Amino acid sequence: RVLMRGRRFDEFLKQAERSRKLDPNSVLTSVHLAIVYEDLGRFEDAIHEVETHSGSTDGADVRQVRAGLKAQGARGYWRARLQVQSKNNADDHRNMAHLHFMLGDNEAGLRELELAVQQRDPGIRFDIKSSPWWDPIRNATRFQVLLRKVGY
């Protein structure tokens, strides 16, 4: 995670290769690889990672995301990811916020992020300060207020 948060993606990918050799079925490695592939704009690799290494993936969801990517590129990918997330787990406000930010809808993303903070999402404390997910709004006043609410 340190490499991911430090945006040292090439180093992360090398480390993930080593981790994959030690534990080829690690879901955690797969999840982090998919996130880094998204950060790098390698959407087909992210889809492949989820498709082949995540045991609970719905094939229809994967097809929807792949179709979005094929039809509209990065924007279609993020739009399809938001639709899938909305259908399967709309209460995960942290992930919903991330997807809205990737689509450029900062207002919706901030509303979701505020809900995540308000509901004390356990992941928010660990990633709000440094995750690349929040880069699009990192300098926004509302984001800075959220940082202070979380304790930064």
Side-chain angles (χ1 to χ4, degrees), residues 3-152:
L3 296 174
M4 289 172 56
R5 290 191 179 128
R7 290 138 187 89
R8 295 164 42 197
F9 299 130
D10 290 336
E11 290 175 71
F12 171 83
L13 292 174
K14 289 175 188 170
Q15 182 62 43
E17 275 182 41
R18 290 190 290 273
S19 295
R20 176 71 35 91
K21 286 178 184 172
L22 293 172
D23 184 359
N25 299 314
S26 170
V27 173
L28 190 58
T29 299
S30 296
V31 167
H32 288 146
L33 273 168
I35 291 168
V36 167
Y37 287 145
E38 286 180 339
D39 288 336
L40 292 170
R42 293 172 52 181
F43 301 113
E44 191 57 52
D45 289 334
I47 293 168
H48 178 75
E49 195 62 40
V50 169
E51 187 175 47
T52 57
H53 296 288
S54 179
S56 63
T57 302
D58 180 342
D61 291 345
V62 171
R63 286 189 296 278
Q64 180 178 351
V65 172
R66 184 172 275 127
L69 177 63
K70 185 177 180 182
Q72 297 178 319
R75 185 153 185 80
Y77 175 87
W78 291 117
R79 184 175 289 127
R81 287 264 287 111
L82 179 61
Q83 290 167 348
V84 167
Q85 182 74 28
S86 296
K87 176 181 74 172
N88 295 332
N89 196 4
D91 291 336
D92 184 344
H93 299 292
R94 191 167 48 101
N95 274 326
M96 293 290 290
H98 168 243
L99 296 168
H100 282 294
F101 292 138
M102 294 300 99
L103 285 165
D105 188 351
N106 292 352
E107 183 59 34
L110 280 163
R111 279 194 309 270
E112 291 286 350
L113 196 55
E114 287 166 344
L115 285 170
V117 169
Q118 181 181 20
Q119 295 175 1
R120 300 182 194 273
D121 179 310
I124 208 74
R125 178 91 169 100
F126 299 105
D127 77 6
I128 195 167
K129 188 170 182 180
S130 60
S131 173
W133 281 12
W134 318 124
D135 287 351
I137 47 89
R138 190 162 303 286
N139 295 324
T141 301
R142 282 171 63 193
F143 184 78
Q144 295 301 313
V145 169
L146 291 174
L147 277 176
R148 286 191 293 282
K149 281 184 181 179
V150 173
Y152 290 109

